[in-house]
């Protein structure tokens, strides 16, 4: 579809305002929010990722494209969230220590909110200690960690280990994800759930919270 490829192209050029307008126009013309996300925004970001990998573009271009992606996501956010029901429980989410990538994490947050989950967003560069303290303070059931770098993935293991040290391992479900993360990695660090994308992360979180009567820590 023409609008979707225009969204992808303008995202790659970093034209945040144009992306915003095109996303709104796509919604107005009846294209589903999920389709706009997948075939417009994410498809543009994929191309950026490949060019970055091949050294065809550099960090500044990627940052500008990322800003355009965020602008587009902002327009989609209320639409993706509107199917949600009242709060079904709480999740603490963040990108792990040393890692500043937040687009995927924001997408996971958005999808979870769309399922009526209350999400406490700790942002990026979040230490294991902060994840746990925030989960305790907010009465969250789930700690959700995102990592985009192979060098920062080990921070996820620290979350699991620190929970064990504090005698809190059974009080929280630890969910992990991000481009370099795999099911095998999840098993190796003893986290509870790995999901490859934002939609399935929201599905899994929703199932876990539905299985609990309340959202206080045992
Ligand atoms: Co960075 N970067 N980056 N970068 N960057 C990658 C990740 C990289 C793969 C690019 C490459 O070389 N091909 C590479 C990592 C290599 C590696 O570790 N193996 C890389 C690098 C090297 C770096 C720097 C070191 C570059 C440098 O400075 N020389 C640097 C590190 C900074 C730091 O974090 N300390 C850096 C910086 C940046 C920018 C700041 C410029 C920018 C981030 C802007 C921002 O996030 N606000 C950036 C970007 C944008 C990327 C790429 C191009 C795109 C990432 C993205 O947003 N994708 C990325 C290349 C790529 O991934 N192809 C790359 C779209 C997003 C929707 O996908 O985050 O994967 P993603 O989320 C997915 C799933 O993974 C999943 O759901 C989402 C989809 O539904 N998911 C979860 C994510 N979190 C989840 C959590 C869950 C479940 C699912 O449960 C809790």
């Amino acid at each position: 579809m023409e609008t979707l490829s225009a969204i992808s192209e303008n995202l790659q050029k970093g034209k945040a305002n144009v992306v915003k307008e095109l996303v709104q126009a796509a919604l107005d013309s009846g294209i589903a929010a999920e389709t706009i996300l997948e075939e417009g925004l994410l498809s543009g970001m994929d191309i950026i990722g490949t060019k970055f990998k091949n050294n065809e573009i550099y960090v500044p271009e990627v940052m500008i494209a990322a800003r355009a992606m965020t602008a587009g996501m902002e327009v989609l956010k209320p639409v993706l969230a509107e199917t949600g029901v009242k709060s079904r429980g709480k999740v603490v989410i963040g990108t792990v220590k040393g890692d500043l990538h937040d687009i995927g994490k924001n997408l996971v947050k958005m999808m979870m909110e769309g399922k009526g989950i209350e999400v406490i967003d700790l942002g990026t560069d979040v230490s294991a200690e902060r994840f746990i303290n925030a989960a305790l303070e907010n009465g969250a059931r789930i700690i959700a960690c995102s990592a985009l770098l192979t060098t920062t993935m080990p921070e996820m293991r620290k979350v699991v280990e620190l929970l064990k040290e504090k005698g809190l391992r059974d009080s929280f479900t630890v969910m992990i994800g991000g481009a370099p993360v795999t099911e095998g990695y999840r098993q190796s660090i003893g986290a509870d759930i790995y999901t490859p994308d934002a939609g399935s992360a929201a599905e899994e979180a929703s199932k876990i919270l539905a299985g609990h009567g309340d959202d206080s820590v045992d």
Side-chain angles (χ1 to χ4, degrees), residues 38 42 45-46 48-50 52-54 58-60 62-63 66 69-70 73 93 98-105 107-108 112 143-152 175-180 193-199 201:
E38 291 290 335
L42 286 176
M45 207 55 186
D46 266 357
I48 286 290
T50 307
F52 188 34
K53 189 175 173 182
N54 297 334
Y58 299 96
V59 172
V62 181
M63 283 179 85
M69 167 97 195
T70 305
M73 274 163 50
I93 198 168
D99 201 323
L100 302 175
H101 295 85
D102 66 357
I103 296 173
K105 183 262 299 167
L107 209 48
V108 174
M112 286 182 173
I143 296 176
C145 310
S146 177
L148 262 288
L149 299 170
T150 44
T151 48
T152 58
M175 292 182 65
I176 63 169
I193 294 174
Y194 157 74
T195 50
D197 56 61

Side-chain angles (χ1 to χ4, degrees), residues 23-95:
V23 169
Q24 189 59 56
L27 281 174
D28 293 345
S29 73
I31 304 174
E34 288 79 3
T35 309
I36 300 170
L37 179 64
E38 291 290 335
E39 294 174 29
L41 297 173
L42 286 176
S43 120
M45 207 55 186
D46 266 357
I47 297 170
I48 286 290
T50 307
K51 288 187 175 167
F52 188 34
K53 189 175 173 182
N54 297 334
N55 293 320
E56 288 168 43
I57 57 169
Y58 299 96
V59 172
E61 288 100 318
V62 181
M63 283 179 85
I64 295 166
R67 202 182 54 193
M69 167 97 195
T70 305
M73 274 163 50
E74 279 303 313
V75 180
L76 288 184
K77 189 174 172 179
V79 185
L80 289 169
E82 84 187 355
T83 49
V85 288
K86 270 269 166 245
S87 180
R88 299 173 63 173
K90 293 181 193 168
V91 172
V92 159
I93 198 168
T95 304

Side-chain angles (χ1 to χ4, degrees), residues 76-170:
L76 288 184
K77 189 174 172 179
V79 185
L80 289 169
E82 84 187 355
T83 49
V85 288
K86 270 269 166 245
S87 180
R88 299 173 63 173
K90 293 181 193 168
V91 172
V92 159
I93 198 168
T95 304
V96 299
K97 193 171 172 194
D99 201 323
L100 302 175
H101 295 85
D102 66 357
I103 296 173
K105 183 262 299 167
N106 292 343
L107 209 48
V108 174
K109 176 186 174 192
M110 211 182 272
M111 295 294 194
M112 286 182 173
E113 286 176 343
K115 294 218 169 272
I117 297 168
E118 194 176 328
V119 184
I120 295 116
D121 185 358
L122 304 178
T124 57
D125 195 21
V126 181
S127 67
E129 191 83 38
R130 258 189 81 206
F131 272 114
I132 296 169
N133 287 343
L136 285 169
E137 281 160 19
N138 291 284
R141 276 281 176 192
I142 299 175
I143 296 176
C145 310
S146 177
L148 262 288
L149 299 170
T150 44
T151 48
T152 58
M153 275 163 65
E155 281 299 318
M156 295 172 158
R157 184 192 292 276
K158 283 196 191 159
V159 174
V160 177
E161 293 303 322
L162 195 57
L163 281 173
K164 282 187 196 157
E165 256 175 54
K166 290 177 182 281
L168 291 168
R169 183 64 190 93
D170 296 333

Side-chain angles (χ1 to χ4, degrees), residues 4 8 140 173:
L4 296 176
S8 166
T173 299

